[in-house]
Amino acid sequence: MALMSSRAKITRVLSSLTHKTPSFIYGSCSNGVTPDIRVRPLGGSGSFSSSASAVAPLDSEVFGSRLWGLKDYEDYRRALYGGMTHKALLVDAVGTLVVPSQPMAQIYRQIGEKYGVEYSEAEILNRYRRAYEQPWGRSRLRYVNDGRPFWQYIVSSSTGCSDSQYFEELYNYYTTEKAWHLCDPDAEKVFKALRKAGVKLAIVSNFDTRLRPLLRALNCDQWFDAVAVSAEVAAEKPNPTIFLKACELLGVKPEDAIHVGDDRRNDIWGARDAGCDAWLWGSDVQSFEEWLIFAAMKISNGLLQYQCIVYVYLLMLHWYMDTICQNLTWFFVFCDWGTWQDI
């Protein structure tokens, strides 16, 4: 497995280094009691829910390919800003840095059973989608302060239960480390290497005020120099304001920052509207290690470039060592088989 993982990683890195295309297609992602991430066909998991602002991709993709033609996105940015340097990394929270540990509908159902919730997980998910797609009329923002009014509406609409104790238990569950885990287990070592090399890091997320305690619970709050939360900034992605606020907190210009997120509309288009570079998580890059390799030559720090080159060589060495060990294993198995045949 280690051999296959290393080989796949190197293949993705080399292919992406030779050809990299920008992302154009709409999608959306936002967070609260449970994340609002695009639906993904993962064997009926139900971990994800659709968003009100998702748009069919086909027309946008065709338009994007015609618009850019032979002039790729990086050439366009160079024309606007000159040389490309990455002095700061902005990271989306839910769907990029962290993901739910269990499907949303499963948690709503499990916690809700003792409060009389009778809907199945499929029914809860469908009702959640319908509720989230409705306009939120109390504010132009879904996540104001702690986001309780919005999430009370979502929970009661999804489950048919308006019990305040049920809501509080569910609401507090999504502030604990039990509810989430890191999307990339190697994120910590990458972020520490970036900070050591002088690259500034920030979270940019559509979330309520529970995000900071959640980051502390996951022991990853110290990885970042700043956190831009929509509930505090009073602007939600794809509004460029939240990206500009993150850059302001870091003390960098937007054109010197790159944002990584899993949503084409909120993360990619929003960041680019603010003047930042942007890469789509799960498409442009599959891990923060890959991002480190891709961005090495664009980061204005010679030490980090050297570290990234060393990392690639170490990755390849790991691949070769796995290959040698695997071949030796088969050799000894064959020798043992031959010995057994002689007996």
Side-chain angles (χ1 to χ4, degrees):
M1 290 299 291
L3 171 63
M4 294 177 64
S5 176
S6 299
R7 182 177 298 173
K9 183 177 292 186
I10 292 174
T11 301
R12 287 199 305 268
V13 169
L14 295 178
S15 63
S16 298
L17 284 173
T18 57
H19 179 66
K20 199 165 194 53
T21 56
S23 306
F24 296 99
I25 306 172
Y26 266 145
S28 65
C29 172
S30 50
N31 323 302
V33 169
T34 187
D36 174 47
I37 306 177
R38 300 181 307 280
V39 174
R40 299 172 186 172
L42 298 179
S45 166
S47 301
F48 306 96
S49 64
S50 64
S51 168
S53 52
V55 178
L58 181 59
D59 292 341
S60 296
E61 185 175 20
V62 173
F63 173 77
S65 63
R66 290 178 180 174
L67 176 63
W68 297 104
L70 298 176
K71 192 173 185 64
D72 64 18
Y73 179 68
E74 291 187 359
D75 287 341
Y76 171 74
R77 285 187 59 83
R78 288 190 184 95
L80 287 178
Y81 306 115
M84 294 181 65
T85 59
H86 294 155
K87 299 178 180 178
L89 171 63
L90 313 180
V91 180
D92 169 49
V94 176
T96 305
L97 180 65
V98 298
V99 290
S101 297
Q102 292 179 272
M104 173 275 297
Q106 180 180 326
I107 295 299
Y108 276 38
R109 167 75 176 173
Q110 286 179 351
I111 296 179
E113 285 181 343
K114 60 185 176 183
Y115 296 99
V117 173
E118 298 180 351
Y119 292 133
S120 67
E121 292 180 19
E123 289 175 313
I124 290 173
L125 181 59
N126 289 332
R127 291 171 66 91
Y128 177 97
R129 288 169 170 166
R130 289 197 297 269
Y132 205 98
E133 289 170 357
Q134 298 300 315
W136 177 239
R138 297 189 185 183
S139 168
R140 65 184 178 86
L141 301 175
R142 296 173 189 260
Y143 313 117
V144 178
N145 297 323
D146 60 12
R148 272 187 165 83
F150 173 71
W151 287 113
Q152 284 173 333
Y153 160 72
I154 292 295
V155 171
S156 61
S157 298
S158 303
T159 63
C161 180
S162 299
D163 190 304
S164 60
Q165 290 185 335
Y166 168 51
F167 170 76
E168 289 299 322
E169 183 175 347
L170 192 61
Y171 181 88
N172 292 328
Y173 168 80
Y174 280 103
T175 317
T176 66
E177 70 278 7
K178 181 181 178 181
W180 309 89
H181 64 271
L182 291 174
C183 187
D184 181 357
D186 295 322
E188 180 177 7
K189 68 179 183 181
V190 175
F191 292 150
K192 285 184 176 180
L194 287 170
R195 292 192 70 182
K196 185 177 180 180
V199 177
K200 297 183 178 180
L201 305 174
I203 288 285
V204 180
S205 176
N206 287 352
F207 215 117
D208 52 55
T209 51
R210 289 173 297 165
L211 180 59
R212 293 180 187 275
L214 172 61
L215 295 175
R216 288 194 294 270
L218 293 171
N219 296 317
C220 59
D221 58 315
Q222 71 276 9
W223 301 349
F224 301 95
D225 301 292
V227 177
V229 191
S230 61
E232 300 173 354
V233 179
E236 294 178 356
K237 297 181 295 185
N239 189 330
T241 300
I242 190 170
F243 297 98
L244 295 175
K245 182 62 177 180
C247 292
E248 178 186 334
L249 292 172
L250 295 178
V252 300
K253 297 178 181 178
E255 56 266 31
D256 290 329
I258 180 171
H259 177 71
V260 177
D262 70 320
D263 184 88
R264 296 181 188 271
R265 177 177 182 268
N266 285 355
D267 292 307
I268 305 305
W269 287 28
R272 290 175 179 174
D273 283 345
C276 303
D277 195 0
W279 288 2
L280 184 64
W281 179 264
S283 177
D284 295 334
V285 286
Q286 306 286 338
S287 69
F288 289 110
E289 287 182 326
E290 288 186 10
W291 179 89
L292 184 63
I293 296 170
F294 296 148
M297 306 314 295
K298 299 176 186 176
I299 294 176
S300 56
N301 186 302
L303 174 60
L304 182 58
Q305 292 181 10
Y306 173 76
Q307 290 174 337
C308 291
I309 293 172
V310 171
Y311 175 79
V312 173
Y313 278 113
L314 289 176
L315 186 63
M316 295 181 70
L317 178 62
H318 175 68
W319 178 25
Y320 289 131
M321 290 299 296
D322 278 346
T323 304
I324 293 172
C325 290
Q326 187 179 58
N327 290 335
L328 286 175
T329 299
W330 281 110
F331 172 75
F332 287 121
V333 168
F334 177 78
C335 290
D336 289 344
W337 174 258
T339 302
W340 181 84
Q341 290 281 42
D342 291 338
I343 296 175

